[in-house]
Amino acid sequence: MILVGRYRSPFVRRVAATMKIYGLPYERRVLSTVTDGARIREVNPVGRVPALILDSGETLIDSAMILDHLNEIAGAERALVPAAGAERRAVLRLVALAMGAAEKGVALVYETQRRAEQLISREWADGLKTQVRAGLAALEAELAPDKSWLAFGRLTQADVSAVATWDFLGDMLAGTFAASEFPKLAALAERADRMPAFAETHPKLDA
Ligand SMILES: N[C@@H](CCC(=O)N[C@@H](CS)C(=O)NCC(=O)O)C(=O)O
């Protein structure tokens, strides 16, 4: 399989880390959304990463759809999202919080780093920061000091997505969301980043 995109994208990174956790090898096509738009559109008409090209040649797009397929390959026993019921809903809610914060973080990067200074709306940027902060705070609230993972005392997609989001914010918006504000989330990321699946997909590797 070929994973398209850079680990600096939280969406690419969560797919990459999940593939490593599942022991699914992949090659990489390290394309940047800033400089490689045309090549990305060849695999995803909407021009976004990640895309995953399967061995059959079929291409999957959007991290949620890709993870859906990977979970199927991993099988219900190993999948990072419970198969059904209240546990599944709880994990998916946490994943949605993490990805909501990531999406707002990406919008904040575009607003503050991709536009001419005079076109930046400080009001809009502040609103985005508030949304990211609220998402992070909701995740932080789920992490009791004695809880190593976000849900059910085991590694789930909630943790993978939360770590991908936290590390993305630290990489692209350094200093905006402080570890002192979200100490349990920061500790979760620090712990996870020592595991091969996270260390080998860290955003700094593609910086
Ligand atoms: N919902 C999508 C979001 C993907 C996304 O927004 N990726 C960003 C990179 S972090 C991108 O490709 N941006 C380029 C663009 O939107 O033009 C997913 O989960 O895969």
Side-chain angles (χ1 to χ4, degrees):
M1 292 185 270
I2 303 172
L3 179 59
V4 181
R6 298 195 300 171
Y7 295 150
R8 294 192 91 178
S9 158
F11 311 104
V12 174
R13 208 258 180 128
R14 74 176 183 143
V15 168
T18 301
M19 291 184 83
K20 288 194 182 275
I21 291 165
Y22 289 162
L24 298 169
Y26 58 87
E27 291 168 34
R28 300 190 61 206
R29 196 171 290 171
V30 187
L31 299 180
S32 154
T33 54
V34 182
T35 53
D36 303 311
R39 287 190 66 197
I40 292 173
R41 284 192 296 278
E42 285 170 15
V43 288
N44 177 357
V46 185
R48 296 199 303 189
V49 292
L52 185 70
I53 305 170
L54 305 184
D55 293 341
S56 64
E58 184 186 348
T59 301
L60 304 183
I61 55 172
D62 200 292
S63 62
M65 313 306 160
I66 296 170
L67 290 177
D68 186 70
H69 175 67
L70 298 177
N71 292 342
E72 194 181 318
I73 297 178
E77 283 295 303
R78 293 174 60 231
L80 290 168
V81 179
E87 285 205 349
R88 180 175 175 84
R89 291 196 300 279
V91 169
L92 290 180
R93 176 178 178 276
L94 294 165
V95 171
L97 285 169
M99 286 300 98
E103 282 164 22
K104 292 298 162 183
V106 170
L108 185 57
V109 170
Y110 291 164
E111 182 65 29
T112 56
Q113 300 178 19
R114 300 268 175 89
R115 290 160 75 81
E117 184 65 29
Q118 67 274 18
L119 296 178
I120 296 173
S121 164
R122 293 291 155 201
E123 197 186 356
W124 180 244
D126 285 348
L128 293 170
K129 271 184 219 166
T130 301
Q131 286 176 289
V132 173
R133 201 160 260 120
L136 297 178
L139 291 171
E140 178 79 5
E142 299 285 339
L143 280 162
D146 57 338
K147 267 173 74 179
S148 49
W149 303 112
L150 274 160
F152 313 120
R154 64 177 189 270
L155 176 70
T156 69
Q157 186 53 236
D159 305 291
V160 177
S161 294
V163 172
T165 298
W166 179 257
D167 285 344
F168 156 74
L169 295 170
D171 175 43
M172 293 298 293
L173 292 157
T176 310
F177 305 100
S180 55
E181 233 184 305
F182 308 101
K184 289 177 279 179
L185 197 48
L188 169 72
E190 203 180 306
R191 230 176 22 249
D193 283 340
R194 281 189 231 119
M195 298 167 61
F198 292 90
E200 291 166 9
T201 59
H202 198 278
K204 71 171 188 273
L205 297 173
D206 282 348

